Amino acid sequence: MADHYDVLGVDRSATPEEIKKAYRRLARELHPDVNPSPEASERFKDVTHAYDVLSDPQQRERYDLGPQAGFGGGGGAAGFGDIFDAFFGGGGGGGQRQGPRSRRERGQDALLRLEVDLEEIVFGTQRDIEVDTAVLCETCSGSCCAPGTSPQTCDICHGSGQIQRQVRSLLGNVMTSSPCGTCRGYGTVIPNPCPTCQGQGRVRARRTIPIDIPAGVDTGLRLQLPGQGEVGQAGGPNGDLYLEVKVRHHETYSRNGDDLLATLEVQMSDAILGTETTLDGLDGAVEIELKPGTQSGDVLTVRDRGVTKLRGTGRGDLKIGVQVVTPTKLSHKERELIEKFAAGRREQAPELSQFQQGLFGKLRDRFLNF
Ligand SMILES: [Zn+2]
Ligand SMILES: [Zn+2]
């Protein structure tokens, strides 16, 4: 065994004060809470033993006399860990008691993706969704105990959930407390756990939840459903459920804020002469009137036929961009008529002007400037 003075790194003539100082310095370096390596742990034991011997005047005297004197006889190395609880902030002031912790815990929040159709958000809708979650165990109603049994006060900590120890240290006698390992700090143990939930107070299940999808929600919006997340352990309160909205792509309509946008293909003759027609809106028929001389890129606005506003009142508009279709196949008779028409009008020759973005660019500009 190494020499106790060497272990502490002090002279044989060191004063008790010097020995104490050396010990504290080494302890701060080697204590298992600070340095978890096995070598440090071994050295720490040696250091502590050396200190126990050298800090006690009688033991130190016997040690200095040599092995024959029978050093190490009387209870030196007991509880080196306890001393260090005091050093490294176990109890501090001594005796402050925290109560046992509750077995009941709040359930976790959950986040689900919710896909909705554009039709559904024009006015909002109701729907049932299915969620895999944790629900209260019906066998034990969250008590975690088998029917007819109940939790029992922990024998080890007597219900406090804490183990307290008084330890002797360099700083005097102090109380340290730590969570009881037997009951994990709950203060009670469950001798007969509920067989249905294995003592958790909750089981996994699929739940059906009716939800209201408000009008006007858009992709990326999160709906919060308080208390619709999983139930907590041991009947603790539910977490919340969040639904992240994704609006599905629609074949005809797209959305710009609260407005709905679509393109209407109009035959050349209808564009020239004007016409009335009925369109399929997302919420029923929409009557529109094309004026004579309608151009590609014209936008017809139907007020209040867009999406119901999420905030505020009323609805956005339905905006219909016109695309005039030039016929590509003409009958012999049609061709004659068009030729006659052209001859009678002395049409201007095609003429260059400023480059414009394509029709869709033009439509987009008009939508935005409307
Ligand atoms: Zn149960
Ligand atoms: Zn306990």
Side-chain angles (χ1 to χ4, degrees):
M1 179 180 279
D3 181 84
H4 288 347
Y5 291 98
D6 289 347
V7 166
L8 289 178
V10 294
D11 287 342
R12 297 192 84 81
S13 59
T15 64
E17 206 46 51
E18 285 166 345
I19 287 170
K20 190 185 276 188
K21 241 183 182 170
Y23 176 49
R24 286 193 177 196
R25 183 176 50 74
L26 287 167
R28 293 210 167 87
E29 208 176 283
L30 300 172
H31 188 273
D33 285 352
V34 179
N35 189 338
S37 76
E39 299 89 295
S41 171
E42 276 308 307
R43 274 193 66 200
F44 180 62
K45 281 182 198 169
D46 292 344
V47 163
T48 304
H49 179 62
Y51 175 71
D52 280 335
V53 174
L54 299 185
S55 62
D56 180 320
Q58 287 180 359
Q59 284 195 60
R60 184 179 178 184
E61 205 184 317
R62 282 206 297 273
Y63 180 72
D64 288 344
L65 290 173
Q68 293 85 353
F71 80 90
F80 68 84
D82 292 347
I83 293 173
F84 279 84
D85 284 347
F87 260 61
F88 292 88
Q96 91 265 25
R97 274 177 54 143
Q98 301 159 309
R101 70 189 181 108
S102 172
R103 210 171 240 112
R104 283 165 53 94
E105 284 171 12
R106 182 179 182 274
Q108 288 197 327
D109 296 337
L111 175 64
L112 291 180
R113 164 82 62 101
L114 178 72
E115 291 204 10
V116 293
D117 288 322
L118 196 56
E119 287 92 334
E120 294 181 289
I121 62 166
V122 170
F123 295 112
T125 187
Q126 290 170 329
R127 194 199 288 181
D128 289 342
I129 58 168
E130 293 204 317
V131 182
D132 287 316
T133 187
V135 300
L136 194 68
C137 173
E138 287 181 2
T139 306
C140 66
S141 305
S143 77
C144 307
C145 301
T149 70
S150 55
Q152 283 173 14
T153 302
C154 175
D155 287 339
I156 305 302
C157 64
H158 308 291
S160 71
Q162 302 281 321
I163 299 293
Q164 299 214 350
R165 285 176 302 195
Q166 187 178 43
V167 295
R168 203 166 47 84
S169 79
L170 302 175
L171 308 174
N173 288 342
V174 297
M175 295 295 283
T176 66
S177 65
S178 52
C180 172
T182 302
C183 63
R184 289 165 55 211
Y186 294 130
T188 56
V189 292
I190 294 177
N192 304 294
C194 168
T196 306
C197 62
Q198 278 83 43
Q200 294 299 303
R202 58 182 180 169
V203 291
R204 297 223 71 85
R206 175 161 290 197
R207 268 181 69 207
T208 301
I209 302 171
I211 55 165
D212 276 319
I213 302 169
V217 296
D218 207 346
T219 296
L221 192 108
R222 278 189 187 181
L223 304 174
Q224 183 186 13
L225 281 67
Q228 297 285 15
E230 65 171 29
V231 72
Q233 177 181 277
N238 285 42
D240 297 336
L241 177 62
Y242 291 88
L243 300 174
E244 186 165 302
V245 173
K246 180 173 189 298
V247 180
R248 287 195 194 96
H249 177 77
H250 191 278
E251 242 176 45
T252 304
Y253 290 98
S254 56
R255 185 173 168 183
N256 181 33
D258 297 320
D259 294 337
L260 290 172
L261 314 180
T263 299
L264 182 66
E265 295 191 349
V266 175
Q267 291 303 307
M268 185 187 71
S269 47
D270 285 338
I272 293 168
L273 300 172
T275 187
E276 286 175 4
T277 188
T278 303
L279 309 176
D280 284 334
L282 280 178
D283 59 321
V286 179
E287 308 282 344
I288 61 158
E289 188 190 343
L290 289 173
K291 296 207 163 54
T294 292
Q295 304 289 326
S296 269
D298 283 359
V299 175
L300 305 171
T301 297
V302 187
R303 299 269 174 223
D304 302 326
R305 293 299 294 270
V307 176
T308 304
K309 291 175 179 170
L310 181 63
R311 294 178 184 87
T313 53
R315 296 175 65 180
D317 299 331
L318 172 59
K319 292 184 173 177
I320 298 166
V322 171
Q323 185 175 13
V324 176
V325 179
T326 306
T328 52
K329 280 180 187 162
L330 296 174
S331 68
H332 187 68
K333 182 139 192 229
E334 284 168 339
R335 188 169 180 86
E336 272 183 5
L337 286 170
I338 295 287
E339 279 170 352
K340 247 185 224 173
F341 170 80
R345 274 182 64 91
R346 290 192 299 165
E347 294 274 17
Q348 274 189 310
E351 207 175 85
L352 275 177
S353 72
Q354 182 80 40
F355 177 78
Q356 291 185 6
Q357 298 292 328
L359 175 69
F360 286 98
K362 207 163 134 196
L363 275 177
R364 194 187 58 219
D365 291 346
R366 293 207 187 187
F367 278 136
L368 296 181
N369 295 329
F370 233 67

